Amino acid sequence: MAAAEPQRTPQEVEDIILRKIFLVSLTDATGKDPRVVYLELIAAEILSEGNELRLSRDLMERVLIDRLFGSFSSAESPFQYLISCSQRAHDEGKKIANMKDKSLRGEMESVVKQAKKLCVAYCRIHLANPDMFQIGNSSASKHQNSPLLPLILSEVGGTISGFGGSGNAGGVKSPPGFLEEFFRDSDSDSLDPILKGLYEELRGSVMKVSSLGNFQDSLRALLYLVRFPIGAKSLVSHDWWIPKGVYMNGCAIEMTSILDPFFHVSALPDHAFFKSQPDVGCSL
């Protein structure tokens, strides 16, 4: 009769789950997966403290920071890595739900939840400071669209074709619950600049749409953002909500306000309706 395999301890299970989520290793033997990164410095610190080479929730943030400051290939950005971590955490959570040991299941669910929250927090940090984790490539993140747009569009059923890309943005999708967690936070200091940038990009995308073009993706994204209290507050506090200036009049406000392009979109060629209404505002 074959001997039963020894049951893993909660510490061993936690280590396995965290290695899978963050794609890291504390030993030089990273296996066949080229995405796995060996965290030599953290491994040395753990050994110097007299502890076993295992990942734990107490080490989670140190591991993530060390991984983010590592080198990223052209095929993956820090933002994409964090999104992938969040998706892997979601996948691990589904596996954990099948655990028979209720005590172990509860502990591991807590670990996965903490990992998800950490990914969201560092996505905010990265978007607010795009160059922080771009070691040796500080200009790569400048003058680019927000990487949040493909996730928002995937959430509302749109594409990124009108945002300087094509198709479904390389298959990037929002992990379940990620955007809700991202925008649910009431910390306006960190989210407000991100949201204002998104509104400006959405405004710019609609301005490029012809009268018969596809403006619905941008409109759905706008409606998705303003349903969050922080999103609505950020929109009405935008400098372009009601533009001000010495020479500002009704016509100028109509042409420069943040929402004006959304009101100008029409299925009528050449905006015939507005042309037929001389008192509405500017001549179009």
Side-chain angles (χ1 to χ4, degrees), residues 249-267:
N249 54 30
C251 178
I253 290 175
E254 182 181 337
M255 297 299 293
T256 57
S257 66
I258 195 77
L259 291 184
D260 176 68
F262 291 93
F263 291 119
H264 273 193
V265 170
S266 171

PDB file of all heavy atoms in Angstrom, residues 249-267:
ATOM      1  N   ASN A 249     -16.908  83.392 -24.070  1.00  0.00           N
ATOM      2  CA  ASN A 249     -18.333  83.660 -24.232  1.00  0.00           C
ATOM      3  C   ASN A 249     -19.054  82.346 -24.473  1.00  0.00           C
ATOM      4  O   ASN A 249     -18.450  81.272 -24.411  1.00  0.00           O
ATOM      5  CB  ASN A 249     -18.581  84.645 -25.376  1.00  0.00           C
ATOM      6  CG  ASN A 249     -17.931  84.176 -26.671  1.00  0.00           C
ATOM      7  OD1 ASN A 249     -17.793  82.975 -26.916  1.00  0.00           O
ATOM      8  ND2 ASN A 249     -17.540  85.133 -27.508  1.00  0.00           N
ATOM      9  N   GLY A 250     -20.348  82.414 -24.758  1.00  0.00           N
ATOM     10  CA  GLY A 250     -21.115  81.182 -24.947  1.00  0.00           C
ATOM     11  C   GLY A 250     -20.564  80.313 -26.043  1.00  0.00           C
ATOM     12  O   GLY A 250     -20.495  79.082 -25.914  1.00  0.00           O
ATOM     13  N   CYS A 251     -20.167  80.936 -27.158  1.00  0.00           N
ATOM     14  CA  CYS A 251     -19.625  80.173 -28.292  1.00  0.00           C
ATOM     15  C   CYS A 251     -18.328  79.484 -27.909  1.00  0.00           C
ATOM     16  O   CYS A 251     -18.123  78.305 -28.209  1.00  0.00           O
ATOM     17  CB  CYS A 251     -19.396  81.112 -29.462  1.00  0.00           C
ATOM     18  SG  CYS A 251     -18.677  80.309 -30.916  1.00  0.00           S
ATOM     19  N   ALA A 252     -17.446  80.228 -27.218  1.00  0.00           N
ATOM     20  CA  ALA A 252     -16.150  79.659 -26.836  1.00  0.00           C
ATOM     21  C   ALA A 252     -16.322  78.535 -25.832  1.00  0.00           C
ATOM     22  O   ALA A 252     -15.625  77.513 -25.893  1.00  0.00           O
ATOM     23  CB  ALA A 252     -15.260  80.750 -26.265  1.00  0.00           C
ATOM     24  N   ILE A 253     -17.256  78.722 -24.894  1.00  0.00           N
ATOM     25  CA  ILE A 253     -17.512  77.667 -23.909  1.00  0.00           C
ATOM     26  C   ILE A 253     -18.013  76.416 -24.601  1.00  0.00           C
ATOM     27  O   ILE A 253     -17.612  75.291 -24.283  1.00  0.00           O
ATOM     28  CB  ILE A 253     -18.532  78.159 -22.855  1.00  0.00           C
ATOM     29  CG1 ILE A 253     -17.901  79.216 -21.961  1.00  0.00           C
ATOM     30  CG2 ILE A 253     -19.037  76.986 -22.012  1.00  0.00           C
ATOM     31  CD1 ILE A 253     -18.857  79.846 -20.971  1.00  0.00           C
ATOM     32  N   GLU A 254     -18.912  76.618 -25.585  1.00  0.00           N
ATOM     33  CA  GLU A 254     -19.459  75.469 -26.315  1.00  0.00           C
ATOM     34  C   GLU A 254     -18.375  74.685 -27.022  1.00  0.00           C
ATOM     35  O   GLU A 254     -18.401  73.459 -27.063  1.00  0.00           O
ATOM     36  CB  GLU A 254     -20.494  75.960 -27.327  1.00  0.00           C
ATOM     37  CG  GLU A 254     -21.160  74.840 -28.116  1.00  0.00           C
ATOM     38  CD  GLU A 254     -22.156  75.379 -29.122  1.00  0.00           C
ATOM     39  OE1 GLU A 254     -22.652  76.499 -28.926  1.00  0.00           O
ATOM     40  OE2 GLU A 254     -22.419  74.664 -30.099  1.00  0.00           O
ATOM     41  N   MET A 255     -17.398  75.384 -27.558  1.00  0.00           N
ATOM     42  CA  MET A 255     -16.360  74.726 -28.345  1.00  0.00           C
ATOM     43  C   MET A 255     -15.266  74.097 -27.492  1.00  0.00           C
ATOM     44  O   MET A 255     -14.569  73.197 -27.945  1.00  0.00           O
ATOM     45  CB  MET A 255     -15.727  75.729 -29.316  1.00  0.00           C
ATOM     46  CG  MET A 255     -16.683  76.284 -30.355  1.00  0.00           C
ATOM     47  SD  MET A 255     -17.375  75.011 -31.425  1.00  0.00           S
ATOM     48  CE  MET A 255     -15.906  74.495 -32.315  1.00  0.00           C
ATOM     49  N   THR A 256     -15.081  74.574 -26.262  1.00  0.00           N
ATOM     50  CA  THR A 256     -13.940  74.110 -25.464  1.00  0.00           C
ATOM     51  C   THR A 256     -14.323  73.273 -24.250  1.00  0.00           C
ATOM     52  O   THR A 256     -13.439  72.692 -23.619  1.00  0.00           O
ATOM     53  CB  THR A 256     -13.105  75.312 -24.971  1.00  0.00           C
ATOM     54  OG1 THR A 256     -13.949  76.191 -24.219  1.00  0.00           O
ATOM     55  CG2 THR A 256     -12.518  76.087 -26.143  1.00  0.00           C
ATOM     56  N   SER A 257     -15.585  73.212 -23.899  1.00  0.00           N
ATOM     57  CA  SER A 257     -15.965  72.464 -22.701  1.00  0.00           C
ATOM     58  C   SER A 257     -15.678  70.970 -22.867  1.00  0.00           C
ATOM     59  O   SER A 257     -15.627  70.455 -23.987  1.00  0.00           O
ATOM     60  CB  SER A 257     -17.447  72.670 -22.376  1.00  0.00           C
ATOM     61  OG  SER A 257     -18.254  72.100 -23.389  1.00  0.00           O
ATOM     62  N   ILE A 258     -15.522  70.300 -21.763  1.00  0.00           N
ATOM     63  CA  ILE A 258     -15.116  68.896 -21.772  1.00  0.00           C
ATOM     64  C   ILE A 258     -16.175  67.997 -22.402  1.00  0.00           C
ATOM     65  O   ILE A 258     -15.867  66.974 -23.024  1.00  0.00           O
ATOM     66  CB  ILE A 258     -14.778  68.420 -20.331  1.00  0.00           C
ATOM     67  CG1 ILE A 258     -14.009  67.093 -20.351  1.00  0.00           C
ATOM     68  CG2 ILE A 258     -16.026  68.309 -19.473  1.00  0.00           C
ATOM     69  CD1 ILE A 258     -12.573  67.223 -20.701  1.00  0.00           C
ATOM     70  N   LEU A 259     -17.458  68.380 -22.272  1.00  0.00           N
ATOM     71  CA  LEU A 259     -18.532  67.539 -22.797  1.00  0.00           C
ATOM     72  C   LEU A 259     -19.022  67.957 -24.177  1.00  0.00           C
ATOM     73  O   LEU A 259     -19.837  67.250 -24.779  1.00  0.00           O
ATOM     74  CB  LEU A 259     -19.726  67.531 -21.827  1.00  0.00           C
ATOM     75  CG  LEU A 259     -19.535  66.833 -20.489  1.00  0.00           C
ATOM     76  CD1 LEU A 259     -20.849  66.848 -19.706  1.00  0.00           C
ATOM     77  CD2 LEU A 259     -19.045  65.402 -20.665  1.00  0.00           C
ATOM     78  N   ASP A 260     -18.559  69.111 -24.671  1.00  0.00           N
ATOM     79  CA  ASP A 260     -19.085  69.618 -25.939  1.00  0.00           C
ATOM     80  C   ASP A 260     -19.026  68.622 -27.089  1.00  0.00           C
ATOM     81  O   ASP A 260     -20.008  68.450 -27.811  1.00  0.00           O
ATOM     82  CB  ASP A 260     -18.347  70.900 -26.344  1.00  0.00           C
ATOM     83  CG  ASP A 260     -18.801  71.412 -27.699  1.00  0.00           C
ATOM     84  OD1 ASP A 260     -19.956  71.860 -27.800  1.00  0.00           O
ATOM     85  OD2 ASP A 260     -18.003  71.318 -28.653  1.00  0.00           O
ATOM     86  N   PRO A 261     -17.895  67.906 -27.305  1.00  0.00           N
ATOM     87  CA  PRO A 261     -17.853  66.965 -28.438  1.00  0.00           C
ATOM     88  C   PRO A 261     -18.924  65.884 -28.352  1.00  0.00           C
ATOM     89  O   PRO A 261     -19.423  65.423 -29.385  1.00  0.00           O
ATOM     90  CB  PRO A 261     -16.445  66.361 -28.345  1.00  0.00           C
ATOM     91  CG  PRO A 261     -15.645  67.391 -27.616  1.00  0.00           C
ATOM     92  CD  PRO A 261     -16.594  67.983 -26.619  1.00  0.00           C
ATOM     93  N   PHE A 262     -19.298  65.483 -27.127  1.00  0.00           N
ATOM     94  CA  PHE A 262     -20.329  64.456 -26.987  1.00  0.00           C
ATOM     95  C   PHE A 262     -21.697  64.977 -27.436  1.00  0.00           C
ATOM     96  O   PHE A 262     -22.504  64.230 -27.978  1.00  0.00           O
ATOM     97  CB  PHE A 262     -20.403  63.985 -25.530  1.00  0.00           C
ATOM     98  CG  PHE A 262     -19.209  63.205 -25.088  1.00  0.00           C
ATOM     99  CD1 PHE A 262     -18.139  63.839 -24.470  1.00  0.00           C
ATOM    100  CD2 PHE A 262     -19.136  61.835 -25.300  1.00  0.00           C
ATOM    101  CE1 PHE A 262     -17.022  63.113 -24.058  1.00  0.00           C
ATOM    102  CE2 PHE A 262     -18.032  61.104 -24.896  1.00  0.00           C
ATOM    103  CZ  PHE A 262     -16.976  61.749 -24.272  1.00  0.00           C
ATOM    104  N   PHE A 263     -21.963  66.273 -27.216  1.00  0.00           N
ATOM    105  CA  PHE A 263     -23.230  66.852 -27.636  1.00  0.00           C
ATOM    106  C   PHE A 263     -23.256  67.154 -29.135  1.00  0.00           C
ATOM    107  O   PHE A 263     -24.318  67.241 -29.730  1.00  0.00           O
ATOM    108  CB  PHE A 263     -23.514  68.140 -26.849  1.00  0.00           C
ATOM    109  CG  PHE A 263     -23.815  67.892 -25.404  1.00  0.00           C
ATOM    110  CD1 PHE A 263     -23.019  68.421 -24.398  1.00  0.00           C
ATOM    111  CD2 PHE A 263     -24.901  67.104 -25.034  1.00  0.00           C
ATOM    112  CE1 PHE A 263     -23.299  68.184 -23.062  1.00  0.00           C
ATOM    113  CE2 PHE A 263     -25.188  66.858 -23.697  1.00  0.00           C
ATOM    114  CZ  PHE A 263     -24.387  67.403 -22.714  1.00  0.00           C
ATOM    115  N   HIS A 264     -22.094  67.304 -29.728  1.00  0.00           N
ATOM    116  CA  HIS A 264     -22.034  67.628 -31.158  1.00  0.00           C
ATOM    117  C   HIS A 264     -22.220  66.403 -32.035  1.00  0.00           C
ATOM    118  O   HIS A 264     -22.570  66.527 -33.201  1.00  0.00           O
ATOM    119  CB  HIS A 264     -20.693  68.285 -31.495  1.00  0.00           C
ATOM    120  CG  HIS A 264     -20.719  69.758 -31.283  1.00  0.00           C
ATOM    121  ND1 HIS A 264     -19.738  70.588 -31.764  1.00  0.00           N
ATOM    122  CD2 HIS A 264     -21.603  70.562 -30.631  1.00  0.00           C
ATOM    123  CE1 HIS A 264     -20.007  71.831 -31.427  1.00  0.00           C
ATOM    124  NE2 HIS A 264     -21.134  71.846 -30.734  1.00  0.00           N
ATOM    125  N   VAL A 265     -21.947  65.217 -31.492  1.00  0.00           N
ATOM    126  CA  VAL A 265     -22.065  64.006 -32.294  1.00  0.00           C
ATOM    127  C   VAL A 265     -23.515  63.840 -32.748  1.00  0.00           C
ATOM    128  O   VAL A 265     -24.443  63.960 -31.964  1.00  0.00           O
ATOM    129  CB  VAL A 265     -21.624  62.772 -31.492  1.00  0.00           C
ATOM    130  CG1 VAL A 265     -21.981  61.497 -32.239  1.00  0.00           C
ATOM    131  CG2 VAL A 265     -20.124  62.835 -31.240  1.00  0.00           C
ATOM    132  N   SER A 266     -23.698  63.554 -34.021  1.00  0.00           N
ATOM    133  CA  SER A 266     -25.042  63.410 -34.562  1.00  0.00           C
ATOM    134  C   SER A 266     -25.037  62.458 -35.732  1.00  0.00           C
ATOM    135  O   SER A 266     -24.047  62.316 -36.438  1.00  0.00           O
ATOM    136  CB  SER A 266     -25.576  64.774 -35.011  1.00  0.00           C
ATOM    137  OG  SER A 266     -26.787  64.630 -35.728  1.00  0.00           O
ATOM    138  N   ALA A 267     -26.161  61.789 -35.952  1.00  0.00           N
ATOM    139  CA  ALA A 267     -26.304  60.913 -37.108  1.00  0.00           C
ATOM    140  C   ALA A 267     -26.679  61.704 -38.350  1.00  0.00           C
ATOM    141  O   ALA A 267     -26.781  61.162 -39.441  1.00  0.00           O
ATOM    142  CB  ALA A 267     -27.377  59.862 -36.839  1.00  0.00           C
TER     143      ALA A 267
END
